[in-house]
C-alpha cells in the first residue's frame, strides 16, 4: 500500500527531534574516546533486554498466527453487544481472548469493520487489545518484579483510556471513519488482486510461516529499541538523563515521545521501560507503556491508510491527552 511522502518521512523527522536534546547533553560533556568498558556495558544491557523479551515475542506471534488463521471473525461479530456501554466494555476485554499484537491489530479490525463492527467498538479493541491481554500482563510483571504498581498502573490506565476513547467515538463519530466502503474495498480487491495483510492459506505450515514473518518484523523494532536504550543508559549518566526530563511535564513527554519513536511490540516494551526504573517515577514509565502500543509511528501509518485523516488526527490527539492526564494521576496515586 502506498503512503503519502510526508508520512514516509515522519518517523525520521520525529527520531531526529528526539535525538537532538540527548545529543546536546552528551556533547556538552568533556567527551573522551569510547572505552572498551563502555562498549561492554552496551553489549551487556542490550543482550539482557533482548533475551528477556524474546520468549514473550515468540509466544505472542504463535498465538497471533493461530487466531488470525483459524478463528472466524464472524464469531466475534455475533458476540458483539448492541448496547454501546456494554459493547465498549466487551471490546476492551477482547484482548484476553485475542492477544494480538498491535502489529497485526489494525488489519484484523479493518476486516471486522467491513463486516459491520461499529467504529467505537473497533477503536476500543485497537487501543486495548495490545495491552489488556495475558501475554503483556505476564511480560510486564516479569520486567517489573519489584514494582507491581507499574503493572497495575499500566493495565488500569490502558483500560480507562480505551473505554473513554470508545465512548467519545460513539458520541461524536456518527459516520463511518473508514476511507473506503465495503463495496469500494471489494471492487479494488477484485480488480487488483489485493489480499489483506497477513492473509495466508489456513494450514499449519502457513501458520508457522506467518509466525516467522511476524517474529522477524517485531524483532527489528526490539533490536533498535534495545540498542538505543543500551546506548542511552551507557553513555548518558542517569543524573543528566533525569535532568533532560526534569520538570512538571517534560519527563512524561520525553517517555511518550520515546515510546512513539521506538515502536516496540507491547510484549517486549516493558523490558525496555524497566531500564529507566531508577531514572523516572512510575508516571512517566506508565505513559511509555500505555502510549506505545496504542500509538506509534508504524501504527500511525496503518491508521492513516485505513481511516480518514481527520479521524486519525482527532483520535491521536485524544489518546495522547488521555494518556498524559492518566499517567499523572497514576503517579499521584502510586508514586508516593
Amino acid at each position: 500500500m502506498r503512503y503519502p511522502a510526508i508520512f514516509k518521512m515522519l518517523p525520521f523527522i520525529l527520531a531526529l527531534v528526539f535525538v537532538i536534546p540527548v545529543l546536546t547533553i552528551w556533547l556538552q560533556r568533556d567527551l573522551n574516546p569510547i572505552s572498551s568498558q563502555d562498549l561492554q556495558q552496551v553489549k551487556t544491557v542490550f543482550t539482557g533486554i533482548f533475551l528477556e523479551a524474546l520468549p514473550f515475542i515468540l509466544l505472542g506471534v504463535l498465538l497471533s498466527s493461530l487466531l488470525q488463521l483459524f478463528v472466524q471473525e464472524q464469531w466475534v461479530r455475533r458476540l458483539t453487544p448492541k448496547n454501546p456501554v456494554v459493547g465498549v466494555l466487551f471490546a476492551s476485554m477482547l484482548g484476553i481472548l485475542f492477544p494480538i499484537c498491535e502489529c497485526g491489530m489494525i488489519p484484523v479490525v479493518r476486516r471486522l469493520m467491513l463486516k459491520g463492527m461499529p467504529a467505537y467498538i473497533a477503536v476500543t479493541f485497537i487501543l486495548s487489545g495490545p495491552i489488556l491481554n495475558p501475554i503483556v500482563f505476564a511480560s510486564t510483571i516479569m520486567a517489573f518484579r519489584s514494582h507491581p504498581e507499574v503493572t497495575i498502573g499500566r493495565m488500569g490506565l490502558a483500560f480507562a483510556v480505551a473505554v473513554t476513547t470508545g465512548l467519545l467515538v460513539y458520541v461524536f463519530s456518527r459516520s463511518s471513519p473508514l476511507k473506503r466502503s465495503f463495496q469500494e474495498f471489494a471492487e479494488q480487491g477484485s480488480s487488483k488482486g489485493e489480499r489483506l495483510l497477513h492473509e495466508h492459506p489456513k494450514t499449519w505450515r502457513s501458520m508457522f510461516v506467518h509466525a516467522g514473518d511476524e517474529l522477524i518484523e517485531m524483532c527489528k523494532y526490539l533490536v533498535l529499541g534495545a540498542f538505543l536504550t543500551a546506548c542511552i543508559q551507557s553513555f548518558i549518566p542517569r543524573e543528566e538523563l533525569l535532568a533532560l526530563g526534569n520538570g512538571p511535564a517534560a519527563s512524561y513527554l520525553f517517555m511518550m515521545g520515546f515510546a512513539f519513536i521506538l515502536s516496540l511490540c507491547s510484549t517486549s516494551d516493558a523490558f525496555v521501560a524497566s531500564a529507566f526504573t531508577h531514572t523516572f517515577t512510575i508516571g512517566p514509565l506508565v505513559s511509555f507503556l500505555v502510549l506505545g502500543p496504542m500509538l506509534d509511528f508504524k501504527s500511525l501509518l496503518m491508521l492513516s491508510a485505513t481511516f480518514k485523516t481527520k479521524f486519525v488526527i482527532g483520535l491521536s490527539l485524544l489518546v495522547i491527552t488521555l494518556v498524559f492526564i492518566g499517567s499523572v494521576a497514576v503517579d499521584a496515586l502510586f508514586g508516593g
Side-chain angles (χ1 to χ4, degrees):
M1 185 173 292
R2 300 178 63 88
Y3 301 109
I6 185 64
F7 286 108
K8 293 181 180 180
M9 297 176 60
L10 184 61
F12 303 100
I13 297 174
L14 291 173
L16 181 62
V17 170
F18 173 77
V19 169
I20 285 175
V22 176
L23 290 178
T24 301
I25 287 182
W26 188 36
L27 293 175
Q28 287 176 351
R29 302 168 53 204
D30 296 329
L31 296 180
N32 297 316
I34 298 176
S35 65
S36 59
Q37 184 178 359
D38 293 331
L39 293 178
Q40 183 62 39
Q41 185 175 355
V42 171
K43 290 190 292 184
T44 301
V45 175
F46 169 81
T47 304
I49 294 174
F50 183 82
L51 291 181
E52 277 191 308
L54 188 60
F56 291 96
I57 291 185
L58 182 59
L59 179 60
V61 298
L62 287 174
L63 287 177
S64 174
S65 299
L66 279 170
L67 292 170
Q68 291 195 42
L69 290 173
F70 299 112
V71 175
Q72 297 183 12
E73 295 150 2
Q74 292 87 337
W75 299 347
V76 179
R77 187 184 178 191
R78 294 193 192 104
L79 294 173
T80 301
K82 302 300 181 182
N83 182 280
V85 176
V86 178
V88 166
L89 294 175
F90 168 79
S92 65
M93 294 291 102
L94 273 179
I96 298 176
L97 300 176
F98 299 91
I100 302 174
C101 180
E102 67 270 18
C103 303
M105 180 65 67
I106 295 176
V108 172
V109 169
R110 180 176 63 177
R111 290 196 293 268
L112 291 171
M113 290 188 68
L114 289 170
K115 294 178 180 293
M117 173 177 278
Y120 66 92
I121 293 181
V123 168
T124 305
F125 185 33
I126 288 175
L127 298 180
S128 64
I131 303 177
L132 299 178
N133 67 69
I135 299 173
V136 175
F137 182 77
S139 66
T140 308
I141 289 180
M142 184 68 67
F144 293 95
R145 300 180 189 90
S146 58
H147 299 278
E149 64 274 11
V150 175
T151 303
I152 298 173
R154 182 185 197 182
M155 297 301 161
L157 181 57
F159 176 80
V161 171
V163 169
T164 302
T165 303
L167 293 175
L168 290 175
V169 169
Y170 172 76
V171 173
F172 295 104
S173 180
R174 293 299 183 181
S175 59
S176 174
L178 287 175
K179 279 189 173 181
R180 292 176 294 171
S181 65
F182 178 80
Q183 291 77 10
E184 293 171 337
F185 185 85
E187 290 174 1
Q188 181 171 344
S190 60
S191 61
K192 296 184 178 182
E194 181 187 40
R195 294 178 65 85
L196 293 173
L197 185 63
H198 295 309
E199 185 174 305
H200 297 280
K202 295 185 178 181
T203 64
W204 287 103
R205 180 179 181 277
S206 65
M207 187 207 76
F208 286 107
V209 171
H210 176 268
D213 292 341
E214 281 204 1
L215 181 63
I216 293 173
E217 179 69 20
M218 283 186 280
C219 279
K220 290 189 298 184
Y221 296 108
L222 173 62
V223 168
L224 174 62
F227 178 73
L228 289 178
T229 302
C231 289
I232 292 174
Q233 290 291 300
S234 301
F235 299 132
I236 307 295
R238 286 179 176 174
E239 295 78 11
E240 297 184 12
L241 184 61
L242 184 60
L244 180 66
N246 188 24
S251 59
Y252 294 88
L253 298 178
F254 176 85
M255 292 301 287
M256 290 168 69
F258 198 36
F260 181 88
I261 293 166
L262 293 185
S263 296
L264 296 173
C265 176
S266 58
T267 57
S268 60
D269 58 359
F271 296 99
V272 174
S274 64
F276 296 94
T277 302
H278 301 290
T279 305
F280 296 109
T281 60
I282 182 174
L285 294 177
V286 169
S287 69
F288 175 92
L289 293 171
V290 174
L291 182 70
M294 290 186 175
L295 184 69
D296 55 39
F297 73 74
K298 71 178 187 298
S299 65
L300 182 63
L301 292 178
M302 299 179 71
L303 285 170
S304 301
T306 303
F307 298 102
K308 298 175 182 177
T309 302
K310 183 178 179 180
F311 180 82
V312 173
I313 294 174
L315 179 64
S316 302
L317 293 177
L318 178 60
V319 169
I320 291 172
T321 303
L322 291 176
V323 170
F324 177 78
I325 296 174
S327 58
V328 171
V330 169
D331 193 75
L333 183 62
F334 294 103

